[in-house]
Amino acid sequence: MTSSSGASRRQVLAVAAAAATAPLLAGAPAEAKPKQPKTWDLTILGTSDTHGNVYNWDYYKDAEFDDSKQNDVGVAKLATLVNQIRAERKGRATLVLDAGDTIQGTPLATYYAKQEPITSTGETHPMARAMNILKYDAVTLGNHEFNYGLPLLATWIEQLGFPALAANALNAKTGKPAFLPYVIKEVKLGGHGAPKLRVGVLGLTNPGVAIWDKGNVEGRLVFADMVATAAKWVPEMRRRGADLVVISAHGGDSGTSSYGPELPNENPTALIAEQVPGIDAILFGHAHNEVPEKFVTNLTTGERVLTSEPSKWGQRLTRMDFTLTREKGRWTVTAKSATTLNTNTVVEDPAVLAAVRGQHTKTVEYVNRVVAQSSVELSAAESRYKDTPILDFINHVQTEVVTEALAGGEYAGLPVLSIAAPFSRTAVFPQGDVRIRDVAGLYVYDNTLEAVVLTGAEVKAYLEYSAKYFVTLPAGAPVNPETISDPAVPDYNYDVFSGVDYDIDIAKPVGQRITRLVLAGTDTPVAADARFVVAVNNYRRSGGGNFPGIVKTQVYNAQQETRQLLIDWAQAKGVIDPADFFVPNWKLVRDGVPVF
C-alpha cells in the first residue's frame, strides 16, 4: 500500500509537471512575442505647376475660377490644406516641396514681370509673398521660371525664404551648377529626445529650357540630362548623410519629348526611378497630370520608388507618407504611400490672401481696362477646325508688324505669311467693350514675335506636320468636333497659316493631307522654291513642338511680346472689325468636300 505522504509527493510532482508543460496545453498563455522595433513617420507635401495662381480667380473672366470638374486653384487653397496637415501632425515631421513652374501663367504673374517688373520696382513678387507665408522647405525651378530672363529669376529667388533647386542647370562657361543642386534637411521625428532624420532633396529642371527660352539662356546656361544628373548627385547626397532621398523633378513620366532627340528627355521621371539607385520618392510636375500614387521598380536594386504628380495650378496637393525604423544608427523605410488632396474641399487661407491682396487688386484693375470696341462677338470656340476671325486677328497683327519692320530692307519683296495656334477654346471678344483680359485670354502665353524665311516646300511640310492634329475620318463617317483631334496632340501644337490658301483632307493619312496649297486669292500652286517671310512665335521658332524647317536664323526679332502687340493694335485702332482682317483661306475637307 502507498502511504498518504507518498500520494502527496506524487500530487506535487504532477502539478509541477503540468506547470512545466502548460504553454503546450490548450488555453494556456502564449509565449512573449519578440519586441517590435519602434517606428517613426514622416510626411512630405508637394505642389507643382502653380503657374502664378494665388487667389482662386480667373483673371480672363474676372470671376472666381471654375471648370467642368469644379476644381479650384491657387496657393491660398494649398496653404489651407498644408496648415491642416501640419496641425494634425503637430510635433511630427512634415516637409513641403514644390516641383516648379511658379512665376508664369496668370496676368498676376505677368504684371509683375512686365508692367511693374520686380527687377525695377524692388517689390516682392506675389508668388514669393504667397509661398513664404506657406513656408516651403524647397522649390525646384521649372522651365517657365526662365521666361522673363535670368535677372528677374535671380530677384525672385532672392525674395524666397527657402532654397530654389536646379542641379542640371549648369553655367555654360564653367560647367558647374548655376543654382543650388540639393539640400539636406535635418528633421526631428517626434517630441523631446526623438531621433533626427536627414532628408535629401534634389531639384531637377527641364532641359527644354534650352529651346523654349533660348534667347534668355543661350551662352549662359546649359541643361544636362535629368537621369544622368540624378545618377551623379544621389550617391553624393547619400555620402553626405542623407537618410532619405527625394527628388523634386520638373519633368513628366511619359518618357517622351515634345521636341526632337537633340536634347535630353523632357519627361524622364519614370526613367530616373528605374535607372538611378538610392531614391525613395519623386515629386514631379510639368505634364499637368494628376498622379496620386505610382510605384516604379528600380532595375538595379529592385526597390520600389514612390512617385506622385499633383495636377496643376494648385488644384491638388500631393501627400507622401513614410514609416521608418532605426537600428544601429541606420534608418530603414518600412512603408510608403501617396495620394492627392483636392483643394476644392477647403477655403482660401486668409494670411496668403492678405499678403497678395494689393497686387491681386491692381492686376484685376489692369486687365479690366477697355482697349477697343468690337463690332461683333468673336469666339475661339471653333478655331481648331474652322477658319475664324478671332484667330485671323492674331495673324493679321503679326503680319502687319513684321511687314512694317522689314519695309525697305532685304526681305521687303517677299510675301509675309503668319502662323497662329488656337491656344484657347473659350476666348471671346464680346460685342462692344473689349478689355485687356479678353485679349490676354485669347493669347495666354508670354511669347515674343519673330520671323524666318521658308520655302514653299518647307511651308507645305510644316502644314503636313500640323495636320497630324486631326484624326483620320473617312468620307461619310460622322464628324464630332469634340473628338476630331488626336488627344495626343495639344491644341497649342496645331498651327494655322495666313497668306496662303490650303485644304486639309482628314480622310487621307498623316503626311498626305495638304491637297491644295495656292498663293493667296489665286489658283496658282505654291512653288517648292518660292520664298516667304513667316511670322512665328519664339516658342515655335526655337523648336517647341518639333515642327520641321522652322528652327532658323530670324530675319525679325524685336523681342516684342505678341500679347502686347495685340493689345497695342486694338488700342491704336479703337475698333475690332472682322472686315479689316478676316480672310477665309483654309478648310477641312474629305475627298475635296468641305467637312463644315
Side-chain angles (χ1 to χ4, degrees), residues 252-573:
D253 65 348
S254 67
T256 62
S257 300
S258 65
Y259 43 74
E262 68 276 5
L263 281 184
N265 195 296
E266 178 184 355
N267 295 297
T269 292
L271 299 175
I272 296 170
E274 284 181 349
Q275 298 177 20
V276 181
I279 301 167
D280 293 288
I282 303 177
L283 171 72
F284 67 100
H286 184 62
H288 290 198
N289 293 326
E290 182 179 3
V291 182
E293 177 189 77
K294 181 179 178 181
F295 285 96
V296 180
T297 301
N298 185 268
L299 299 177
T300 301
T301 65
E303 294 292 328
R304 297 202 311 161
V305 180
L306 175 65
T307 72
S308 181
E309 181 180 18
S311 190
K312 62 183 179 182
W313 305 346
Q315 294 178 356
R316 301 290 185 273
L317 175 73
T318 280
R319 175 174 179 161
M320 295 180 172
D321 289 297
F322 302 84
T323 304
L324 306 104
T325 60
R326 182 175 172 85
E327 186 176 0
K328 296 181 180 180
R330 293 180 62 85
W331 287 99
T332 301
V333 178
T334 59
K336 53 189 173 183
S337 62
T339 189
T340 49
L341 306 176
N342 196 327
T343 57
N344 71 7
T345 62
V346 296
V347 298
E348 294 171 291
D349 178 71
V352 172
L353 295 181
V356 184
R357 181 167 289 114
Q359 295 171 313
H360 167 74
T361 300
K362 183 176 285 189
T363 302
V364 169
E365 291 172 350
Y366 169 74
V367 299
N368 276 291
R369 294 179 190 171
V370 175
V371 292
Q373 301 290 310
S374 182
S375 61
V376 294
E377 180 180 285
L378 304 178
S379 170
E382 299 179 329
S383 293
R384 297 172 297 122
Y385 49 87
K386 288 184 182 179
D387 194 347
T388 57
I390 200 166
L391 218 59
D392 271 14
F393 169 69
I394 299 172
N395 275 329
H396 176 79
V397 174
Q398 292 182 164
T399 299
E400 193 173 271
V401 169
V402 170
T403 300
E404 291 176 0
L406 298 181
E410 176 183 357
Y411 304 100
L414 298 181
V416 177
L417 315 183
S418 179
I419 299 170
F423 291 152
S424 170
R425 299 186 183 194
T426 59
V428 174
F429 289 178
Q431 184 177 18
D433 289 347
V434 176
R435 305 173 190 276
I436 286 175
R437 62 179 167 89
D438 300 318
V439 181
L442 172 67
Y443 206 99
V444 296
Y445 295 108
D446 298 317
N447 296 331
T448 57
L449 181 62
E450 302 183 1
V452 297
V453 173
L454 297 186
T455 65
E458 289 171 326
V459 169
K460 186 174 188 298
Y462 192 106
L463 286 169
E464 289 284 10
Y465 183 87
S466 183
K468 71 185 178 68
Y469 174 78
F470 297 101
V471 298
T472 302
L473 288 172
V479 177
N480 181 352
E482 296 306 311
T483 58
I484 199 170
S485 60
D486 184 339
V489 184
D491 293 354
Y492 62 77
N493 274 344
Y494 168 61
D495 286 345
V496 301
F497 268 73
S498 67
V500 289
D501 296 350
Y502 61 97
D503 291 348
I504 303 172
D505 193 326
I506 59 174
K508 296 188 179 299
V510 171
Q512 303 173 32
R513 291 180 162 179
I514 306 303
T515 53
R516 185 178 71 100
L517 178 60
V518 299
L519 298 176
T522 75
D523 293 322
T524 305
V526 170
D529 61 352
R531 297 173 75 233
F532 303 92
V533 171
V534 179
V536 61
N537 69 58
N538 66 300
Y539 170 82
R540 190 70 82 229
R541 206 282 314 163
S542 297
N546 201 30
F547 280 67
I550 199 70
V551 181
K552 294 186 173 185
T553 301
Q554 308 97 315
V555 298
Y556 166 83
N557 182 14
Q559 289 292 297
Q560 291 180 292
E561 192 175 90
T562 306
R563 182 194 296 120
Q564 192 60 48
L565 290 170
L566 301 178
I567 293 169
D568 292 345
W569 188 95
Q571 283 182 313
K573 293 289 185 181

